[in-house]
Amino acid sequence: MTLFEPAVFGALQLSNRVVMAPLTRTRADDEGVPTETMVEYYRQRAGQGLIISEGTWPAAEGKSYSGQPGIVTPEQIAGWSRIADAVHDAGGTIVMQLMHGGRVSHPAISGEPRVVAPSALAAPGQTHTPVGKVDMPVAHALTLEEIPGVVEQFAQAARNAIDAGFDGVEVHGANGYLVQEFLSPVSNIRDDQYGGTPENRARFAIEVTRAVAEAVGADRTGIRLSPQHNIQGVLEEDDDDALATYLAVAEGLAPLGLAFVDVLSAAPTSELVQRIRRTAGAPLIVNSGFGSPTTRDEAEMLVSEGWADAVAAGRPVIANPDLVERWRQDADLNEPRPALFYGRTAEGYTDYPSLESVRADA
């Protein structure tokens, strides 16, 4: 198995095993509607075997950042449909990441009166709002009566994504947002069936993923996990507890027959990641590049040695729309411009040159 071979993950057809990781870029309009600039951005990157979209909110209460798109209103669905069409016309496959930010938000960002989480705790630090930097607010702890409604928000968002023409969806269960907030014993201090034991803390992630799979088909559903990533106050510092929690998640996912499990980890060959893979029984996408960008050599090793079925890359795809072709030819890469990762303009977004244009100008 090589990085440049095609793959089939459930109903998803991948032309190669390089995946565009989900990347927050904040280019949607003030109503959360994808823009024409976003259409061009995703079209340019259709050569990756699979595109996972930026985190997209399934409810206004789950919006974490100004400029983040949603998949709730007819206008948002229509905007994403233009993106799906552009990617498909360019020969690509695309799934939408459904991201509920949980306590990582603010009413000044979402327009909603509260932020929600498993427990009435604030995320650490501050966030950027349209009126400046402010402290993260103390979250409203979801009640047992409210949780099924949040699960249904994910399921309806998944239906909307498929209606927009997407090939599938990914549940965002990583990076300190709502689903992972339930997994951590630090951000989840509940004493009911959603808190306490690893099995209880895994319950919400399983329920959300099951509801999404039932809504659009398990063969079009994946989940992203980031075990022990320890970000945004969602800490998983006890190795034994983390292993028990993520194996409980994987055991709950196994009967579903998911299209893939996508794991962000600096140690993709570790016992933790590989046991998640074996237990869940789904194709594994790994992304090791949060701390440092994933390299071609690392990606090739992970696939050729059987540690993963595909490898996701973030910053290399931001700076190199045609990353697969550059990696295939072992060509030089454009350098990313981190100061422009977030913003509202095309600069640093759709203006990275292709290998073809670079050679034409040489």
Side-chain angles (χ1 to χ4, degrees), residues 74 286 316 345:
V286 298
T345 69

Side-chain angles (χ1 to χ4, degrees), residues 162-196:
I162 298 302
D163 287 347
F166 275 65
D167 300 296
V169 295
E170 174 180 90
V171 173
H172 196 346
N175 291 14
Y177 300 112
L178 182 64
V179 173
Q180 194 182 19
E181 289 165 16
F182 272 89
L183 296 176
S184 163
V186 174
S187 51
N188 178 355
I189 56 172
R190 301 174 73 101
D191 59 5
D192 59 15
Q193 60 262 48
Y194 289 92

Side-chain angles (χ1 to χ4, degrees), residues 2-6 14-18 46-49 295-297 299-300 322-333 355 359:
T2 73
L3 192 61
F4 304 109
E5 288 180 14
L14 282 65
S15 58
N16 56 73
R17 295 167 187 265
V18 180
Q48 273 53 248
T295 66
R296 173 182 181 269
D297 288 347
E300 287 194 314
D322 52 355
L323 181 69
V324 171
E325 198 53 40
R326 288 174 184 262
W327 273 0
R328 197 192 304 270
Q329 298 184 35
D330 201 13
D332 291 339
L333 301 183
L355 181 61
R359 288 177 171 169

Side-chain angles (χ1 to χ4, degrees), residues 51-66:
I51 291 175
I52 304 174
S53 84
E54 62 208 273
T56 304
W57 39 273
E61 213 168 50
K63 180 181 178 182
S64 288
Y65 307 107
S66 298

